[in-house]
Amino acid sequence: SNVLWASPNQAHHDFEVQPNGDIYTLIAKVQVNPQVDPVRPIREEYVAVLDPSGKEKRRVSLVDALIRSDFKELWEQRKNRTGDVLHTDSVDVLGGKTGALMKPWRPGQVLVSIRHLNMIAVLDMVQQNIVWAYQGGFKLQHDAQLLANGHILLFDNVGLGGESRILELDVKARKTAWEYRGDPRHPFFSDTRGRVQRFSNGNTLISETDSGRAFEVTSKGEIVWEFFNPERAGPNGQFIAALLDMLRLPADFPTDWIAPCPVK
């Protein structure tokens, strides 16, 4: 548990480590962006690349990239131009899944989820430009990621109103390839946050953050197992401890560093 390095850069929501050790993450800075407003500040967000020691190598403003892109009108539709204007919440580097890439995607570009625009987009870090954007009925979504089959998986928080769903999108055909939603016996809703992980057997691990629940479902929507965070707060235990993320570790994940639990 020794801290090897720390980078106080206002990183938030998500990061992804590359094979060479570089770290892609989201960082935020409250400042005035003259392209948005000459006086009032915004919470400007960047995709940043850190080296393995935490030193920043480069950053790209998502606001600037969107304004200079062919999708500028999606920004112009936003009425609120102050404060948290984008609320980007995930990064997925388009690297080893080259067979899944469609035009104009290229390895090294970054798939991002922009919550306040109900939009997923691909950022070219070299051109500093949004080269692709998609809105498809999901709302305030989280954790967009490219699958090996070229589809995009994401956590749709409020696209159905008072319930959430997991969407697998065939964005080339502009249709939903698969979805999971709850039912009266197993309701499913997280107004904020939420994570999702697809396995090679087709099962999907879902972190239902606000309900403190994680569960795995088959491709047919059958629940394999579920976990409820037992921690509660408040005088009547009415506050549920959020479960931000659950991640399945690979079978060869090293465990020799874990101290055995004392037997009581």
Side-chain angles (χ1 to χ4, degrees), residues 57 74-75 84 128 135 140 171 176 191 211 213 263:
K57 298 171 67 173
L74 299 178
W75 161 256
D84 188 5
Q128 300 188 34
Q135 294 173 313
L140 305 185
V171 293
T176 298
D191 185 48
S211 300
R213 173 184 177 228
V263 178

Side-chain angles (χ1 to χ4, degrees), residues 155-263:
F155 191 112
D156 178 17
N157 290 77
V158 296
L160 297 175
E163 56 181 304
S164 300
R165 59 182 172 174
I166 304 302
L167 291 178
E168 180 182 335
L169 303 171
D170 182 345
V171 293
K172 189 174 183 179
R174 301 190 70 85
K175 67 179 184 180
T176 298
W178 177 85
E179 75 171 5
Y180 172 81
R181 61 175 71 182
D183 56 43
R185 291 185 57 207
H186 303 96
F188 170 44
F189 179 61
S190 185
D191 185 48
T192 65
R193 297 163 291 188
R195 302 282 285 184
V196 60
Q197 183 185 7
R198 172 62 55 80
F199 302 136
S200 59
N201 66 354
N203 286 7
T204 305
L205 176 61
I206 302 167
S207 297
E208 186 184 3
T209 297
D210 288 358
S211 300
R213 173 184 177 228
F215 59 104
E216 180 180 338
V217 298
T218 68
S219 59
K220 296 181 179 180
E222 301 163 337
I223 296 177
V224 176
W225 60 264
E226 57 187 347
F227 167 80
F228 293 89
N229 193 337
E231 301 299 326
R232 296 290 185 270
N236 300 310
Q238 70 271 33
F239 299 120
I240 301 172
L243 187 66
L244 299 184
D245 190 9
M246 182 175 283
L247 180 71
R248 173 168 289 171
L249 301 176
D252 59 352
F253 189 82
T255 58
D256 54 350
W257 56 273
I258 301 175
C261 295
V263 178

